[in-house]
Each structure stands twice: as C-alpha cells, then as structure tokens.
Amino acid sequence: MILVTGGAGFIGSHLIDRLLDEGQEVVCIDNFNDYYSPELKRSNIAQASKNPRFHLEEGDICDFPFLEAVFERYPIEEIVHLAARAGVRPSIAEPRLYEEVNGLGTVNLLELARRYKVSSFIYGGSSSVYGAASRVPFSEDDPCDRPISPYAATKRANELMCYTYHHLYGIKVTVLRFFTVYGPRQRPEMAIHKFTRLIDQGEEIPLFGDGSSKRDYTYIDDIIQGVMAARQKAYPFEIFNLGESRTTDLITLVRLIEENLGKKAKIRWLPDQPGDVPLTYADISKARRMLGYNPQVPIEEGIRRFVEWYRKNRDRLT
C-alpha cells in the first residue's frame, strides 16, 4: 500500500490516478487548507474517490497522533511525500509557517517510516534549492547551501533530514527536485494558470523584472513518469533532477499562451521580487541514466494541452 501526502494537490492527484490505473492501493493524506480553493482540490480526486482502492484521510502532517493512527490503520509500504506549504513569495511573509509545515511535517513522516519499517520514501523536492546559481545547467552535485527564500531553505533542510534518516536507519530515500511543473490542475496562483486566466478575462497580467527570467518548465506527465520510475528503482539514497532540460523566458511563455488562447495580454511591468531566481535549468543526465527518465512534452505542446484543459474547465476555475 502506498501513502501519498498532499494527494489532493496538483502533482499528488495525478500520481494517485496513475497508481490506481496500475492497480495499486493508495492512501491519500490532505488537509484541504485554504492556500487555494479546497473545492478545486476535492475535484482533483473526484474520480479517484470512486475507486475502492483509494482511501482518503483528511488531516495535517504536523499532527503526529493523526499520522500515527493512519499508519496503524493501513499496512503502508511506500511513502511519496508531496505535502508542503508551497510558494517562494508567500514564504517570505510567513517563514515560521513554512518551517513548521515543511520541516516538522517531513520529520513526522520520516519518523513513522522508521517505526513502521516502510521500504521506500520518495520526497518531492524543488529546484529552488539551487538558489541564484550561475553555473548551468543545475546538477545534483552542485552545492545547495545558499537558498534565497524560506521555502527553498525548508526544502533543502528536508533533503538533509532525509539523508540523515537513511544513514541512521537504512530507509531507502529518493529526493526528486521538480522544475516548475505545469499542466492540468496546476495551482491557480502559478504563472501559467494565472496568466491564462487573466488573459482570457481581458485583465492585466503582472510580469516581474524585464521578461528575461527563464524557467525549465516541466509538463505534469513527464514528472509522473519520473516519480513512477523512482518507485521502481528505489535506490538506497539518491537525488534526481526532474525537468525538461530546456529553458523558456517569461515573455516567450506569455506569447505561447496568447497564441493558444487567441487573445493578447495586457502586461503590467513590476520590479523583480525578493526570493525569485533569474533562471532554473535542469541537468537531467543522471535521471536519464539511472531512472530511464525521458521527458516527452515540449513547452509548445504542453501549453496547448493546458489551454485546452482550461477552456473545458473554465466555469469552475474562475
């Protein structure tokens, strides 16, 4: 049985759908907080909820007795830990909240993995741990000791805690550093979803900086392929980048959304934001070699698919 934390979220719900399709039995933990609409999260797992092999447990990963009861109730063999307080800019406003949820929540799960002898622990990491690195593309061997937001600092600290539990107790841990994941069900405050909605509604979109910042945008299907490969391999301890290994600048991203919507953007230019990095760019050679990871969806096709999904679901998303 597989536990997916944050399972009603963007990545988690897609992973659960894939696991159920493959005949797995899945426990989903989610607290349906108000970071964004709980109704959207519930709609993410609406189809999964009809499956008898899906088990939803509503609660907080910071609540140790709640988690302990879940581990008592189900014979959990694998954990895919995706639950986190997300977002760079909000973490600057609420660093204590980010440290509590991301730090304590992860330690709680590692401790229960130790106690209940869980065979595999996959941690959903972030490219934010690389900070404002100038060496590109970003390699797993690069030093990650200068995070520039509380969110990034918590994600890096959790990687270190994962290694500590592996070293002390032999837990098999794989850290997956996700690079700007997008696609259907993406969180509404993330750039692609936000820009698409605002352009569609004829409202201004906020662009920070001069439009030259670049991201390694990774389509959700490629990320799920990487997670599933990591499950199959279950190395003793490894860190892998999961990205497309291609960068797209901000203004090009906007143009792609315009093209697929058939509408022009009204742009409001704003200063650079603290905590934002100028570039993310994944070296995925290690994931290719050791996981067989092979991303298939370029940004042009991914944006087309996202806009198609948005149009079909526009009424409930706006």
Side-chain angles (χ1 to χ4, degrees), residues 307-318:
V307 171
E308 181 180 14
W309 170 81
Y310 168 82
R311 282 183 162 142
K312 287 179 180 176
N313 294 274
R314 178 165 33 202
D315 289 346
R316 68 179 183 85
L317 295 170
T318 55

Side-chain angles (χ1 to χ4, degrees), residues 85 94-105 150 153-154 157-158:
R85 198 74 184 187
E94 297 186 276
R96 294 176 68 250
L97 174 63
Y98 276 70
E99 174 57 32
E100 179 180 5
V101 174
N102 297 353
L104 177 61
T154 64
N158 286 347

